[in-house]
């Protein structure tokens, strides 16, 4: 099954008393945040990362783009950790720098051009090779490709689906918890829960 | 009322860390009239104001100083395994509170592997009863597994959710008995000593990112207010760096950082309750209590395989207490080719947590991932919580890398052994059968190990253990440890209730023996 949900659900709920003040503030700030000028990534790195992320999670929402590169750049600028890293990986900042460089090496080795210049089918093949841990390129010796893929994709997904627009896409309205949830069983929806449109 | 001691006072006891292991004994010692001070690295939150219903916004509840995860099955930390703040990891625990069964404590006797516990089930069970009634555990009037109880749970179970109904349906089809689970969350509002009124659970499924209504029985709304009302002093945002030994081999002072300033508090006793990574880390950094060479050894993490599936039914996995339904029929399976056993639990899940797990292990990305993400409202999971044996190759050490505070990062080695692989394979088969019988499609498995256990093991023999059965260090007589690090074996249940029970027991044993220990 492929489910689709109406647009605007979370944004509408943020205007109501169904969310707490703390929730409204946090989500509204995220929703309205302007696109970030990267300060950790160099312009060419940011461009390459954007090309990669556009394949990992293609964005086509007319309501706007979620600035995933901005979220990652902000974290790396502040050198913030999420509490752990694979011992086989270099420190997060180095891992991103090296992984980006290595991705372009793989693109050139496989298809003769940098990643962003490749047609999407070839970009996807490069990403498949990285995910499988078998991409060509000398720099991958410093950063394990499959772990790089996993970490990058997990962070991408976190940035996308913590954003109100990403949450609208999957029909999530759990933030509207002030009235409490009294219908907790199967197929038992409350009025504020969006129905799929298929 | 809460006291304030001066740094020049020699307090009776300092408690380091206010999680499941620290908070109960803090209250017990204060109630006995001792001068006690708790030092907690994290903040004292006001959940109503400070807790948005937003997973990223709640990142502040996790211990985010970087740890290095090594081994074949590296254990994730941060949101997966460790908390910071007054209440410790109970701020974000899911609130499952099953009791151990007596045979959990004797794997060595029954299977010839691991070690037996130095205390009996009965010694722990009296505390279970006390804790369930004090913090507020909701559960069924008749729990089908384990020894008879003195009393039933103080409150009826929380309402079942979609994942729970599906687990009931699937288990019934394959002949496995289920029960509504016991959860440390209130199915009805009630008065809490030292705090006031606590509201009933709002069924908002957000326990792992903090409860904003005070319904979840975390330490910050139970034992901490009790401790304060009995006179304990709580110092939050105080990060302990040193335990200073005097010439007679006792700890005479604890050094900590508060607002970037170094402070020293004199004390007669120290209760180290910083969790199973920070406790051994502090001991290693201070070169303390390790004549056995066992500090940091025997690191264990429960087998925790999750099976996910998509259903035709509308589930909305963010609703209801996450751990709605349980089965302990697999506690000692007849056809087991492994030692110990596991339990089965239904799982509700918050979206970012679910989708990041999917990102790491399902293999999908691009449009295929987005389509699978749009099935979130139709997703339900079940998982196991199973025993894990101690091995030589699983341990924690200090690395050469420094963290943001300039202190060596811990490196934690973890690789599942043959026993864990066999148990997980057994569970994989059963859970897939259950989920297929319940009607799941697109079933996928998330491999994981959960909870951090066992780095300062308790036992009778000081040559092979760090603390004795009362939690007292064999080397430093006025040092006690009370947290998940003292568990000799992992147990086939979620740990928090048993950590709290041991915490009260350590306090009671300490108080009973205090004269002998010479204050
Ligand atoms: C997402 C998640 C869900 C869970 N769900 C369940 C569940 O449903 N049921 C269950 O039984 N268990 C669950 N657990 C596990 C449970 O939360 C822990 O086992 C338990 O809280 C551990 O107790 P502890 O006392 O060992 O450590 P903690 O509760 O982690 O407490 C340690 C405290 O020490 C403080 N500290 C550490 N170092 C210092 C220092 N240097 N100075 C000052 N303070 C310091 C920390 O800030 C922290 O507050 C869950 C854990 C997680 C991560
Ligand atoms: S499900 Fe209940 S206990 Fe858990 S966070 Fe929500 S209100 Fe609190």
């Amino acid at each position: 099954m492929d489910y689709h949900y109406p647009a605007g659900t979370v944004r509408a709920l943020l205007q109501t008393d169904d969310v707490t003040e703390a929730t409204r503030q946090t989500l509204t700030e995220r929703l309205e945040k302007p696109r970030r000028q990267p300060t950790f990534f160099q312009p060419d790195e940011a461009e390459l990362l954007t090309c990669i992320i556009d394949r990992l999670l293609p964005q086509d929402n007319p309501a706007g783009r979620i600035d995933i590169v901005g979220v990652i750049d902000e974290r790396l600028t502040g050198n913030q950790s999420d509490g752990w890293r694979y011992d086989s990986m270099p420190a997060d900042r180095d891992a991103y720098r090296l992984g980006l460089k290595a991705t372009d090496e793989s693109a050139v080795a496989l298809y003769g051009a940098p990643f962003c210049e490749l047609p999407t089918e070839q970009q996807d093949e490069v990403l498949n090779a990285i995910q499988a841990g078998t991409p060509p390129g000398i720099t991958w010796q410093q950063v394990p490709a499959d772990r790089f893929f996993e970490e990058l994709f997990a962070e991408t997904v976190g940035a996308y689906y913590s954003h109100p627009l990403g949450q609208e896409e999957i029909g999530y309205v759990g933030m509207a918890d002030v009235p409490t949830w009294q219908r907790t069983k199967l197929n038992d929806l409350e009025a504020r829960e969006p129905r799929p449109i298929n | 009322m809460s006291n304030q001691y001066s740094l020049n006072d020699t307090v009776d006891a300092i408690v380091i860390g206010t999680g499941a292991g620290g908070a109960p004994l803090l209250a017990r010692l204060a109630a006995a009239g001792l001068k006690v001070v708790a030092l907690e690295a994290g903040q004292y939150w006001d959940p109503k104001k400070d807790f948005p219903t937003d997973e990223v916004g709640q990142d502040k509840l996790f211990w985010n100083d970087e740890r290095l995860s090594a081994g074949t099955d590296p254990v994730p930390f941060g949101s997966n395994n460790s908390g910071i703040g007054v209440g410790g990891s109970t701020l974000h625990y899911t609130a499952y509170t099953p009791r151990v069964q007596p045979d959990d404590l004797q794997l060595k006797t029954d299977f010839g592997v691991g070690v037996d516990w130095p205390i009996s089930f009965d010694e722990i069970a009296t505390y279970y009863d006390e804790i369930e009634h004090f913090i507020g555990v909701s559960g069924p009037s008749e729990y089908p597994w384990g020894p008879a109880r003195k009393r039933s749970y103080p409150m009826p179970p929380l309402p079942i959710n979609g994942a729970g109904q599906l687990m009931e349906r699937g288990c019934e089809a394959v002949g496995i008995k289920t029960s509504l689970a016991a959860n440390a969350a209130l199915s009805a509002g009630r008065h809490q000593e030292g705090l006031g009124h606590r509201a009933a659970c709002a069924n908002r499924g957000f326990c792992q990112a903090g409860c904003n209504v005070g319904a979840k029985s975390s330490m910050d709304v139970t034992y901490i207010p009790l401790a304060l009302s009995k006179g304990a002093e709580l110092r939050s945002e105080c990060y302990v760096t040193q335990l200073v030994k005097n010439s007679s081999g006792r700890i005479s002072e604890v050094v900590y950082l508060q607002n970037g300033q170094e402070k020293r508090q004199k004390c007669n006793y120290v209760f180290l309750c910083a969790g199973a990574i920070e406790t051994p880390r502090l001991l290693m950094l201070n070169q303390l209590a390790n004549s056995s060479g066992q500090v940091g050894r025997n690191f264990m993490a429960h087998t925790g395989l999750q099976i996910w599936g998509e259903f035709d039914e509308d589930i909305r996995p963010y609703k209801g207490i996450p751990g709605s339904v349980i089965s302990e029929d697999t506690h000692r399976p007849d056809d087991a080719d492994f030692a110990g056993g596991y339990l089965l639990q239904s799982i509700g899940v918050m979206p970012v947590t679910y989708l990041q797990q999917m990102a790491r292990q399902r293999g999908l990305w691009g449009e295929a991932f987005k389509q699978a993400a749009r099935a979130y409202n139709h997703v339900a999971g079940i998982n196991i919580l199973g025993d894990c044996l101690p091995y030589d190759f699983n341990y924690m050490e200090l690395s050469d890398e420094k963290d943001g505070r300039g202190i060596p990062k811990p490196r934690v080695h973890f690789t599942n052994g043959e026993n864990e692989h066999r148990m997980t394979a057994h569970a994989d088969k059963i859970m897939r059968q259950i989920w297929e019988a319940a009607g799941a499609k697109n079933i996928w498995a998330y491999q994981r190990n959960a909870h951090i256990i066992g780095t300062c093991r308790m036992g009778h023999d000081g040559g092979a253990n760090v603390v004795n059965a009362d939690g007292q260090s064999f080397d430093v007589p006025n040092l006690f440890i009370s947290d998940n690090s003292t568990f000799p074996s992992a147990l086939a249940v979620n740990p928090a209730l048993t950590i709290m029970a041991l915490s009260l027991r350590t306090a009671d044993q300490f108080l009973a023996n205090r004269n002998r220990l010479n204050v």
Side-chain angles (χ1 to χ4, degrees):
Chain A
M1 269 296 274
D2 192 4
Y3 300 95
H4 292 275
Y5 291 90
T9 51
V10 175
R11 282 168 284 170
L13 282 166
L14 289 179
Q15 309 296 320
T16 69
D17 291 336
D18 289 351
V19 297
T20 66
E21 200 45 48
T23 304
R24 182 181 359 262
Q25 263 182 23
T26 306
L27 290 180
T28 307
E29 195 182 301
R30 197 170 302 148
L31 186 63
E32 292 173 353
K33 198 164 190 171
R35 212 176 138 260
R36 178 183 166 89
Q37 269 315 108
T39 53
F40 170 77
F41 292 115
Q42 299 298 316
D44 57 329
E45 290 174 328
E47 192 200 330
L48 172 54
L49 186 56
T50 306
C51 294
I52 296 171
I53 285 177
D54 276 348
R55 296 313 301 156
L56 293 179
L57 277 189
Q59 299 203 34
D60 52 11
N61 192 333
R65 259 182 83 85
I66 299 172
D67 182 19
I68 298 170
V69 174
V71 171
I72 301 173
D73 185 81
E74 190 173 352
R75 179 177 78 79
L76 294 175
T77 298
N79 210 3
Q80 286 154 7
S81 156
D82 63 353
W84 68 288
R85 78 166 203 265
Y86 289 115
D87 194 42
S88 58
M89 287 281 277
D92 289 3
R93 291 174 165 196
D94 297 338
Y96 267 98
R97 285 245 143 85
L98 292 166
L100 288 172
K101 179 162 169 246
T103 302
D104 256 349
E105 283 175 13
S106 298
V108 170
L110 289 169
Y111 300 109
F115 187 86
C116 289
E117 291 171 23
L118 298 178
T120 54
E121 300 75 43
Q122 294 183 351
Q123 289 184 335
D124 289 357
E125 285 311 316
V126 174
L127 292 175
N128 276 328
I130 296 173
Q131 181 185 30
T134 55
I138 181 94
T139 304
W140 290 120
Q141 289 174 7
Q142 295 173 63
V143 48
D146 50 351
R147 290 298 194 205
F148 172 72
F149 184 95
E150 179 191 334
E151 288 294 318
L152 166 61
F153 191 40
E155 187 159 18
T156 298
V157 163
Y160 190 89
Y161 291 104
S162 59
H163 194 282
L165 295 181
Q167 301 191 328
E168 288 180 5
E169 245 176 66
I170 62 170
Y172 172 71
V173 293
M175 74 295 290
D177 54 3
V178 172
T180 78
W181 301 102
Q182 293 305 318
R183 298 170 179 269
T184 59
K185 288 192 179 174
L186 293 172
N187 293 326
D188 197 6
L189 299 188
E190 312 225 6
R192 63 189 185 282
E193 298 188 278
R195 277 56 178 172
I197 37 170
N198 276 321
Chain B
M1 268 318 288
S2 174
N3 282 300
Q4 280 206 323
Y5 300 103
S6 111
L7 295 175
N8 296 321
D9 289 333
T10 299
V11 298
D12 293 319
I14 292 178
V15 177
I16 302 170
T18 55
L25 67 74
L26 180 71
R28 199 63 134 222
L29 299 180
L34 269 66
K35 291 186 196 169
V36 276
V37 172
L39 299 173
E40 164 57 51
Q43 277 178 251
Y44 199 177
W45 299 106
D46 176 358
K48 281 196 179 58
K49 248 181 43 238
D50 299 335
F51 287 6
T53 304
D54 175 62
E55 290 168 79
V56 171
Q58 286 298 83
D59 197 43
K60 59 190 179 227
L61 298 189
F62 304 113
W63 186 274
N64 284 332
D65 289 356
E66 192 166 86
R67 295 170 178 162
L68 304 175
S69 302
T72 309
D73 305 299
V75 176
F77 294 97
S79 63
N80 298 284
N81 259 321
S82 276
I84 183 167
V86 173
S89 301
T90 68
L91 290 174
H92 60 74
Y93 78 154
T94 322
Y96 296 107
T97 35
R99 297 177 169 195
V100 300
Q101 296 196 34
D103 56 4
D104 280 319
L105 305 174
Q106 47 178 45
L107 282 186
K108 182 78 179 175
T109 302
D110 293 352
F111 295 96
V113 293
V115 290
D116 289 347
W117 281 51
I119 32 188
S120 71
F121 176 80
D122 290 340
E123 284 173 276
I124 301 177
T126 50
Y127 292 108
Y128 284 156
D129 179 75
E130 176 185 341
I131 294 163
E132 288 163 354
H133 282 258
F134 174 72
I135 68 174
V137 174
S138 302
S141 53
E142 296 284 333
Y143 191 74
W145 302 276
R149 302 162 166 259
K150 205 163 114 195
R151 303 183 268 182
S152 47
Y153 287 108
M155 267 169 291
L158 289 151
I160 194 168
N161 62 8
Q165 284 181 283
L166 292 166
M167 179 166 156
E168 283 184 342
R169 183 200 288 173
C171 284
E172 191 179 353
V174 303
I176 291 176
K177 185 169 58 207
T178 59
S179 167
L180 287 173
N183 279 289
L186 305 183
S187 54
R190 67 171 209 168
H191 179 79
Q192 186 73 43
E193 185 180 355
L195 182 74
H197 183 74
R198 281 173 60 201
C201 172
N203 306 321
R204 53 191 280 283
F206 218 68
C207 307
Q208 287 185 10
C211 185
N212 66 356
V213 298
K216 190 173 74 166
S217 304
S218 44
M219 297 299 98
D220 58 319
V221 295
T222 55
Y223 280 110
I224 294 291
L226 178 68
L228 296 179
S229 76
K230 300 289 182 193
E233 180 184 349
L234 171 65
R235 296 184 198 156
S236 53
E237 298 175 75
C238 290
Y239 180 84
V240 171
T241 53
Q242 282 179 65
L243 310 176
V244 183
K245 236 173 28 174
N246 64 13
S247 53
S248 61
R250 297 167 66 92
I251 296 168
S252 53
E253 245 183 358
V254 172
V255 183
Y256 61 96
L257 290 171
Q258 187 176 29
N259 292 322
Q261 260 191 312
E262 191 173 282
K263 303 211 165 142
R264 314 172 86 88
Q265 177 70 55
K266 293 196 192 56
C267 60
N268 287 321
Y269 287 93
V270 173
F271 291 80
L272 183 51
C273 315
I277 301 297
E278 297 309 316
T279 282
R281 187 175 178 220
L282 270 169
L283 294 180
M284 286 180 189
L285 289 166
N286 287 279
Q287 300 179 324
L288 276 176
N290 197 18
S291 68
S292 65
Q294 292 295 306
V295 171
R297 311 299 305 188
N298 310 306
F299 177 77
M300 297 169 280
H302 286 122
T303 53
L305 181 74
Q306 299 179 339
I307 296 290
W308 295 98
E310 294 164 12
F311 294 81
D312 290 337
E313 286 87 349
D314 213 316
I315 297 167
R316 313 272 159 162
Y318 51 86
K319 289 194 293 187
I321 192 86
S324 189
V325 168
I326 191 168
S327 175
E328 295 196 38
D329 270 10
T330 47
H331 181 69
R332 293 290 179 266
D334 291 338
D335 60 347
D337 58 352
F338 50 83
Y342 57 91
L343 54 73
L344 295 162
Q345 287 157 331
S346 65
I347 30 182
V349 70
M350 304 177 292
V352 174
T353 300
Y354 176 71
L355 296 172
Q356 285 192 316
Q357 291 189 182
M358 197 162 91
R360 287 186 187 278
Q361 290 192 16
R362 198 167 170 192
L364 305 173
W365 53 274
E367 219 17 89
F369 183 93
K370 290 186 84 176
Q371 180 175 336
R374 288 193 297 268
Y376 166 74
N377 280 334
H378 291 260
V379 159
I382 33 176
N383 75 187
I384 61 160
L385 203 290
D387 227 316
C388 168
L389 298 177
Y391 299 104
D392 271 351
F393 47 80
N394 290 335
Y395 60 97
M396 174 247 159
E397 64 182 346
L398 298 179
S399 75
D400 297 332
E401 257 184 65
K402 303 267 165 61
D403 69 8
R405 309 177 197 265
I407 302 174
K409 292 179 186 173
R411 178 184 290 111
V412 184
H413 298 260
F414 187 76
T415 300
N416 283 298
E418 186 58 30
N419 202 60
E420 291 70 41
H421 284 301
R422 289 182 182 191
M423 189 186 291
T424 300
H426 188 271
D428 184 84
K429 206 168 111 204
I430 288 194
M431 288 195 288
R432 284 176 194 270
Q433 281 168 3
I434 295 170
W435 245 206
E436 273 160 21
K441 294 174 200 136
N442 296 328
I443 292 177
W444 67 282
Y446 183 72
Q447 304 285 343
R448 73 194 248 282
N449 292 87
H451 309 132
I452 46 183
I453 310 167
T455 50
C456 292
R457 182 163 81 179
M458 66 158 79
H460 293 306
D461 170 12
N465 300 284
V466 180
V467 295
N468 68 21
D470 297 345
Q472 184 183 21
S473 160
F474 284 107
D475 298 347
V476 184
N478 69 336
L479 172 66
F480 290 75
I481 298 178
S482 168
D483 58 29
N484 221 344
S485 69
T486 68
F487 280 31
S489 69
L491 308 173
V493 291
N494 315 66
L497 183 70
T498 303
I499 300 172
M500 294 177 215
L502 290 183
S503 177
L504 291 182
R505 183 177 182 280
T506 289
D508 284 351
Q509 294 296 107
F510 169 80
L511 291 168
N513 296 327
R514 211 171 133 215
N515 294 335
R516 181 165 60 72
L517 294 169
N518 76 75
V519 175

